[in-house]
Amino acid sequence: MDFAFFLGCTIPLKQPNLEKAFRDVCSILGINLKEMAGASCCPEPVSLQSLNIDTWLTLGARNLAIAEKMGMDVMTICSGCYETLKTVSVLLGEDPGHKAKINDILKKIKYEYRGDINVLHMVELFSQPQWLDKIKQSLVKPLDDFTFAVHYGCHLIRPSKIMRFDHPEKPERIDTILKTLGARTINFATKLECCGYCARLQDEIGEKLVEDKMTELCELEEDVDALIAVCPACVSQYDRKEKLIARRTGKEMNIPVLYLPEIMAVALGVALEDLNLTQRSVKPDKLIEKLTT
Amino acid sequence: MSQRLRKQAVELDKNFRYEISQKIGAKSLLKCIQCGVCSSGCTVTEYVDLQPHRIVASCLLGLKEEVLSSQAIWTCSLCHRCTERCPKNVDYSFILALLRSMAAQEGRIPKEYSSSVITILENGFVIPYSEGMKKNIDKRRARLGLPEISGPNQNEIEFIYEETGLKELIKKTEVGK
């Protein structure tokens, strides 16, 4: 299966080891990723949409037009990219007049956005029955002894009238993928709380949200091996803030944060040393030890 | 907005609600019934000077200045729970982004927002990717065996900023600094 692979910015430029894990998983499963030459930032939904909606829509449509020319659906690996590209496709699909206006601009730089491809998030693909089967068949190291907490984040599932992807208040597609790897996932009160990364104006909002979630995970009766997220913003937010809070409060939390493809890669047999799992603030030493014994 | 606000009917901007509702994706503003579900589930509800349902009420009333100068429109974390739960399908988080753009038109842009917009204009990406930065990133990617990045033609990005009016807005607000 071929996809136009939309890289975005944060993963390829700041956390390329996450991109590596995703590419490894795809090559094991037989998913072909085609590079989108000339693609820009999605663009970022927080600031650009806020300052000028038409700039946001036009830049997004330009990226989609590149994939249309390749004749493939778009695969995203960041929830921000997914939100932008999917929202652009839905809004312009519902408003042909506005689409024409955007195309008037795009035509001048020789692009055209027709609106005939789909935008997918990696979770959407991996959780389809045929890919779950494929994952099961390809398991090298089932994660039977592992318990994970899942962080869905906001932009993957909401607003559901646009994302149309999973239940907005009771999502389960990431849990399903992890269970297919053999792991257990837990339910917890703050499971669907925002990571706070996009609340840019006040840092304390993010800190409080991270502290609440991590404190709850630490106080649970069973040990949680890692928090699993599917967006680079959520991953870095929890990882960095968790360390900061530990330093400030003296509370040792030590729950590592992994990106879903990283743990998938482990289960599918990618060597640990190829994944650079220690390149983060909260080192997953215990997890690595458990994986190697 | 802790002190009580008193305004005469003639001081209200009655057109404000339509100014918003005519924009793409924002028609739903007019359907609000002030139930407060948006505010009760809001991630940042305890941090804002105006809660979501009060922002909507203020828009409908025509309190344009109060809305566009509020800190609340920039504090939102865009978690979209308000939009998700609204029984009348008001796209609050989307409308909020529009309110931000209206405030921006008047030159009110917090630097937390303007800086990434300028980075995208200059790099095509929201992370600086030129000269020394580019070299380091490329080296790191090569070490991981990842393909080279073929970024966008910068002129195209700049053209889109120009055509949609964002270039001018940036210039205007930079001059105003």
Side-chain angles (χ1 to χ4, degrees), chain A:
Chain A
M1 195 176 253
D2 293 353
F3 288 100
F5 182 24
F6 187 79
L7 281 173
C9 309
T10 312
I11 288 190
L13 305 182
K14 265 189 144 166
Q15 297 163 275
N17 46 318
L18 306 188
E19 178 187 333
K20 162 106 178 27
F22 175 72
R23 287 186 190 268
D24 286 350
V25 168
C26 288
S27 88
I28 292 168
L29 297 177
I31 297 164
N32 295 317
L33 303 171
K34 305 287 182 200
E35 310 304 316
M36 285 177 65
S40 68
C41 177
C42 57
E44 197 255 315
V46 181
S47 62
L48 248 171
Q49 186 193 355
S50 295
L51 296 197
N52 188 321
I53 179 117
D54 280 337
T55 318
W56 184 63
L57 291 168
T58 313
L59 285 170
R62 179 188 165 281
N63 283 327
L64 292 173
I66 293 173
E68 276 185 349
K69 221 173 195 175
M70 296 163 71
M72 293 167 198
D73 285 345
V74 182
M75 177 59 63
T76 60
I77 56 171
C78 157
S79 302
C81 301
Y82 180 55
E83 179 188 30
T84 289
L85 296 178
K86 186 115 175 203
T87 308
V88 169
S89 71
V90 171
L91 282 181
L92 296 185
E94 287 171 352
D95 193 335
H98 211 87
K99 188 166 100 183
K101 190 179 146 192
I102 300 294
N103 268 324
D104 283 343
I105 302 174
L106 288 179
K107 264 178 215 146
K108 293 181 198 159
I109 44 171
K110 301 195 171 65
Y111 289 86
E112 190 198 353
Y113 171 61
R114 296 184 304 272
D116 52 15
I117 47 159
N118 297 309
V119 179
L120 287 102
H121 187 283
M122 59 174 177
V123 171
E124 208 169 357
L125 184 77
F126 293 147
S127 59
Q128 286 168 1
Q130 70 270 32
W131 291 106
L132 289 173
D133 281 346
K134 186 86 206 259
I135 291 168
K136 211 174 216 167
Q137 289 157 20
S138 317
L139 275 185
V140 172
K141 187 170 179 47
L143 303 173
D144 295 331
D145 299 330
F146 289 81
T147 303
F148 297 120
V150 178
H151 173 72
Y152 278 84
C154 306
H155 302 160
L156 179 68
I157 48 176
R158 287 188 298 264
S160 59
K161 60 185 155 195
I162 287 179
M163 306 322 283
R164 303 165 188 174
F165 165 62
D166 201 341
H167 194 293
E169 308 267 5
K170 271 181 272 166
E172 47 189 35
R173 293 178 83 155
I174 304 174
D175 292 78
T176 307
I177 295 168
L178 289 168
K179 283 175 193 161
T180 305
L181 304 178
R184 266 168 43 76
T185 60
I186 53 158
N187 275 317
F188 56 108
T190 55
K191 183 172 179 177
L192 291 183
E193 292 301 322
C194 172
C195 75
Y197 182 86
C198 296
R200 286 205 190 155
L201 221 49
Q202 281 163 272
D203 231 17
E204 65 194 272
I205 298 175
E207 245 171 67
K208 173 80 167 41
L209 287 165
V210 172
E211 186 168 359
D212 285 353
K213 186 168 290 201
M214 289 304 179
T215 308
E216 189 196 356
L217 291 179
C218 289
E219 285 169 358
L220 290 174
E221 271 184 26
E222 53 190 321
D223 282 343
V224 173
D225 292 296
L227 177 71
I228 308 290
V230 295
C231 168
C234 305
V235 169
S236 74
Q237 173 81 347
Y238 285 112
D239 182 51
R240 288 166 49 199
K241 289 260 187 316
E242 186 183 343
K243 194 80 192 176
L244 282 176
I245 295 161
R247 224 174 277 154
R248 177 167 53 78
T249 61
K251 258 194 251 173
E252 219 25 85
M253 297 199 271
N254 262 334
I255 294 183
V257 188
L258 296 191
Y259 182 56
L260 177 70
E262 292 181 305
I263 200 68
M264 289 178 76
V266 169
L268 296 174
V270 177
L272 279 174
E273 51 274 25
D274 288 339
L275 288 168
N276 299 302
L277 294 180
T278 50
Q279 280 185 8
R280 58 197 73 211
S281 310
V282 180
K283 312 277 177 224
D285 295 340
K286 250 174 145 175
L287 183 96
I288 290 173
E289 197 188 311
K290 204 164 152 184
L291 283 166
T292 42
T293 47

Side-chain angles (χ1 to χ4, degrees), chain B residues 1-176:
Chain B
M1 284 261 298
S2 52
Q3 70 275 51
R4 179 162 282 175
L5 180 73
R6 280 183 189 279
K7 275 204 166 179
Q8 301 290 324
V10 291
E11 296 174 85
L12 300 172
D13 185 340
K14 295 198 183 65
N15 218 19
F16 188 39
R17 58 165 76 183
Y18 303 116
E19 224 182 296
I20 301 163
S21 68
Q22 279 165 8
K23 298 224 161 80
I24 183 170
K27 257 203 305 279
S28 61
L29 173 80
L30 307 176
K31 296 190 287 184
C32 175
I33 52 170
Q34 286 294 298
C35 69
V37 161
C38 49
S39 299
S40 70
C42 174
T43 295
V44 300
T45 205
E46 65 261 47
Y47 298 95
V48 290
D49 50 356
L50 273 177
Q51 289 178 313
H53 73 289
R54 293 192 58 208
I55 288 269
V56 175
S58 306
C59 290
L60 292 171
L61 270 172
L63 294 167
K64 185 173 178 176
E65 172 59 25
E66 288 73 11
V67 170
L68 297 188
S69 64
S70 71
Q71 150 268 80
I73 61 172
W74 300 100
T75 303
C76 165
S77 73
L78 288 181
C79 77
H80 300 306
R81 216 148 43 187
C82 47
T83 300
E84 194 59 55
R85 292 180 179 172
C86 177
K88 296 295 286 178
N89 283 318
V90 177
D91 292 298
Y92 179 71
S93 43
F94 199 82
I95 288 165
L96 194 90
L98 282 174
L99 294 172
R100 288 175 174 180
S101 69
M102 292 167 99
Q105 276 305 322
E106 299 182 355
R108 294 187 252 222
I109 313 173
K111 64 171 184 327
E112 289 85 350
Y113 289 81
S114 56
S115 60
S116 36
V117 167
I118 292 167
T119 309
I120 296 172
L121 173 64
E122 289 170 354
N123 299 268
F125 297 107
V126 75
I127 288 157
Y129 184 59
S130 52
E131 295 161 27
M133 297 290 269
K134 182 174 186 313
K135 233 185 212 166
N136 285 339
I137 292 169
D138 289 346
K139 230 190 272 166
R140 195 168 161 209
R141 291 182 60 82
R143 258 202 313 269
L144 290 170
L146 295 170
E148 270 177 37
I149 291 174
S150 59
N153 178 337
Q154 244 356 88
N155 295 333
E156 293 177 11
I157 306 298
E158 197 172 339
F159 178 78
I160 290 173
Y161 266 61
E162 262 164 25
E163 286 284 304
T164 52
L166 187 55
K167 186 84 189 288
E168 204 192 316
L169 178 69
I170 293 170
K171 233 195 266 164
K172 206 168 71 185
T173 47
E174 283 214 305
V175 170

